[in-house]
Amino acid sequence: MSLADLPEVCAIENRCYSTPWSLKSFEYEIGNKDAVLRVAIQDDMIAGYLCVRTILDVTHLLNITVRPELRGKGTGSALLKNALEELKSIMPNVNLTLEVREANMPAIKLYEKFGFRIIGRRKKYYQKPDDDALLMELRPG
């Protein structure tokens, strides 16, 4: 992901979320040396994007989003696979965490396909609508 991608990334973000990341949030992550940001390109447009950041000993999947009309076609899997390969090459024993809306079954199934397991719940973590977050983790191995 580059600064040039941000208008399109932000348009997708605003379309997909009731509380979207701001342009400044994406700019911050692009400038962060401990972040991994990727876009997936399909037919000369951004099909999806992913943001992962490591803080001390915690690596966290901050955001993974696919255009609604392109979901279910492997874009999310490709983004996650690519990020995991890069993270494991940098940190072979990476432990990756994430939060996901409890109601977002397609995302939960994607994460489980990659070996993530539910390890906790954050009550009323999401707003608009209110929803619990499931905390998921992928341990090395």
Side-chain angles (χ1 to χ4, degrees):
M1 185 183 297
S2 69
L3 290 173
D5 295 325
L6 292 186
E8 195 171 354
V9 166
C10 286
I12 297 167
E13 181 79 4
N14 288 325
R15 185 173 161 207
C16 292
Y17 298 107
S18 58
T19 54
W21 278 25
S22 68
L23 173 64
K24 290 213 177 287
S25 294
F26 284 107
E27 289 172 339
Y28 176 82
E29 294 304 331
I30 286 173
N32 187 327
K33 68 176 179 53
D34 296 317
V36 172
L37 293 94
R38 295 288 173 266
V39 293
I41 305 295
Q42 182 177 326
D43 299 326
D44 295 323
M45 68 177 175
I46 294 175
Y49 51 90
L50 171 141
C51 304
V52 176
R53 184 178 355 133
T54 300
I55 303 170
L56 301 173
D57 61 345
V58 176
T59 302
H60 196 74
L61 176 60
L62 299 170
N63 193 331
I64 181 170
T65 304
V66 175
R67 285 179 186 268
E69 66 273 18
L70 298 177
R71 290 180 184 162
K73 298 179 181 178
T75 303
S77 290
L79 282 164
L80 190 52
K81 181 178 185 246
N82 177 273
L84 288 171
E85 287 170 355
E86 181 172 343
L87 289 167
K88 287 178 182 178
S89 74
I90 299 167
M91 303 172 286
N93 293 317
V94 66
N95 188 42
L96 187 59
T97 61
L98 62 87
E99 289 97 3
V100 60
R101 274 188 189 270
E102 183 175 36
N104 191 346
M105 287 309 299
I108 293 167
K109 288 184 185 303
L110 170 69
Y111 302 138
E112 287 176 339
K113 179 175 101 174
F114 279 88
F116 284 85
R117 297 291 170 246
I118 297 169
I119 59 167
R121 172 185 307 272
R122 295 195 169 140
K123 292 280 191 188
K124 297 184 180 179
Y125 182 82
Y126 293 104
Q127 300 166 351
K128 297 181 185 178
D130 288 348
D131 200 2
D132 291 353
L134 297 179
L135 181 59
M136 299 184 79
E137 177 181 59
L138 177 63
R139 291 188 169 268

